[in-house]
């Protein structure tokens, strides 16, 4: 399948990272967000990161300009009409995602593949709201996208082999490594990672140790590049909570119950790095 133009819906930390990697790999990119400020922030973040790569000698000035030229901003989902692939990276809520997929299905050309970067939600359920469930698939990038090599590729019940092959090929074209995973809550990555993060939050909630000390244990004791609470702040505490809820609802097992402290922080608007405060505080 020929792929020239990729639409990325959601210009937050994941969407902006995905758009950057697609543009650097030679694709035309439409970066969409319903919020104009978020779109501007996403676009300026890409420019800043590319500039830093030039300063470090990892990219030429020409490569930076070429990549930026390939990215256009959009605030209308109707723009999907010019795309071969859409990668959705909006908030981790099934009702919001299904609504967006219905709209994308109306506007994207018949050959287009609709992929979701969901962390944990059922691909089959998202696919079912469209008239093209065989062309809907999970394409789960890791954060930060420009750095992390893995993409989990998740087939929904009706995803076709052609769609799988096209997304596998796209993943390689983005210089990432695909791993095929079945459609199950949290897939592999978040079924393993998120209960560890939730447990780390419980140790703080129960007064076992401070956030700093929990992170030090995991960094120095287990050689993790980031402690679990720094990582939770980095992912976004809202996203962590929604993933735990998907695991809890999906498996019906109390071992996945989200820690009340996580819920409290999200209710307070302490979403981690993106809001300036989570388990730790951030200046910018
Ligand atoms: N965006 C883009 N690039 C970034 C970045 C960001 N937010 N943060 C760091 N980088 C880049 C730097 O520019 C640098 O690039 P170069 O080597 O080309 O110069 C490189 O990453 C290393 O950065 P630093 O030296 O500043 O920092 P570090 O060595 O501490 O590494 C890290 C930073 C790569 C983020 C590392 O701390 C790490 O691997 N952390 C764990 C990340 C992780 O577990 N991700 C998965 C999260 S779970 C998920 O994504 C799934 C989900 O559904 C929730
Ligand atoms: P984020 O909060 O940084 O960004 C989400 C963006 O989506 C916001 O800019 C918001 O304005 C936009 N948005 C919301 N509803 C929209 C709509 N209807 N149309 C267009 N734009 C809309 O979130 P994020 O961390 O980038 O996560 C996005 C998705 O990626 C989620 O499904 C999340 O689970 C998944 N994911 C996150 C991580 C992570 O570490 N944060 C890793 C892998 C996957």
């Amino acid at each position: 399948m020929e792929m020239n133009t990729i639409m990325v819906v959601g210009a937050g930390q994941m969407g902006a990272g995905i758009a950057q990697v697609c543009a650097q790999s030679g694709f035309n990119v439409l970066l969409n967000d319903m919020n104009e400020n978020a779109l501007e922030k996403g676009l300026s973040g890409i420019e800043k990161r590319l500039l830093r790569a030039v300063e470090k000698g990892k990219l030429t000035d020409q490569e930076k300009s070429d990549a930026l030229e390939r990215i256009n901003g959009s605030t209308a989902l109707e723009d999907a009409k010019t795309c071969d692939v859409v990668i959705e990276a909006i908030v981790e809520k099934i009702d919001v995602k299904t609504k967006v997929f219905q709209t994308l299905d109306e506007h994207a050309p018949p050959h287009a593949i609709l992929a979701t970067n969901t962390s944990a939600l059922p691909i089959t359920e998202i696919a079912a709201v469209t008239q093209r469930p065989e062309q809907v698939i999970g394409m789960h990038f890791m954060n930060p996208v420009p750095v992390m090599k893995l993409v989990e590729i998740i087939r929904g019940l009706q995803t076709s082999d052609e769609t799988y092959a096209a997304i596998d090929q796209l993943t390689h074209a983005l210089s990432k490594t695909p791993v095929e995973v079945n459609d199950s809550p949290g897939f592999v990555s978040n079924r393993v990672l998120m209960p560890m993060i939730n447990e780390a939050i419980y140790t703080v909630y129960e007064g076992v140790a401070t956030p700093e000390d929990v992170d030090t244990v995991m960094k120095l004791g287990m050689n993790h590049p980031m402690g679990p609470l720094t990582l939770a702040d980095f992912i976004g505490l809202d996203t962590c909570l929604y993933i735990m809820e998907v695991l809890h609802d999906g498996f019906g097992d109390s071992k996945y119950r989200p820690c009340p402290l996580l819920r409290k922080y999200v209710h307070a608007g302490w979403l981690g790095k993106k809001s300036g405060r989570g388990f730790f505080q951030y200046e910018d």
Side-chain angles (χ1 to χ4, degrees), residues 258-278:
C259 180
L261 188 61
L262 174 60
R263 217 180 267 291
K264 191 181 272 185
Y265 278 20
V266 172
H267 286 160
W270 294 7
L271 306 183
K273 205 171 171 199
K274 66 182 166 189
S275 73
R277 180 160 192 177

Side-chain angles (χ1 to χ4, degrees), residues 12-14 33 89-90 92 97 117 119 141 143 235 274:
Q13 54 179 339
M14 293 306 290
D33 205 290
I90 64 168
E92 186 73 351
K97 286 202 195 282
N117 182 51
S119 294
F141 291 83
N143 189 11
I235 291 168
K274 66 182 166 189

Side-chain angles (χ1 to χ4, degrees), residues 169-241:
Q169 199 185 334
L170 172 60
T171 303
H172 285 289
L174 301 179
S175 306
K176 303 289 182 198
T177 303
V179 172
E180 182 176 358
V181 177
N182 283 326
D183 193 11
S184 174
F187 318 126
V188 170
S189 54
N190 282 315
R191 184 164 172 186
V192 176
L193 173 70
M194 216 38 81
M196 182 201 64
I197 287 179
N198 195 46
E199 208 56 33
I201 300 172
Y202 265 108
T203 62
V204 174
Y205 180 60
E206 293 170 5
V208 179
T210 63
E212 289 79 3
D213 286 345
V214 171
D215 273 10
T216 301
V217 166
M218 298 306 284
K219 272 196 296 183
L220 301 188
M222 282 76 188
N223 241 359
H224 289 197
M226 277 175 171
L229 301 170
T230 301
L231 183 56
D233 276 357
F234 180 59
I235 291 168
L237 300 186
D238 50 345
T239 302
C240 292
L241 175 61

Side-chain angles (χ1 to χ4, degrees), residues 7-20:
M7 182 183 208
V8 180
V9 182
Q13 54 179 339
M14 293 306 290
I18 295 167
Q20 177 186 332

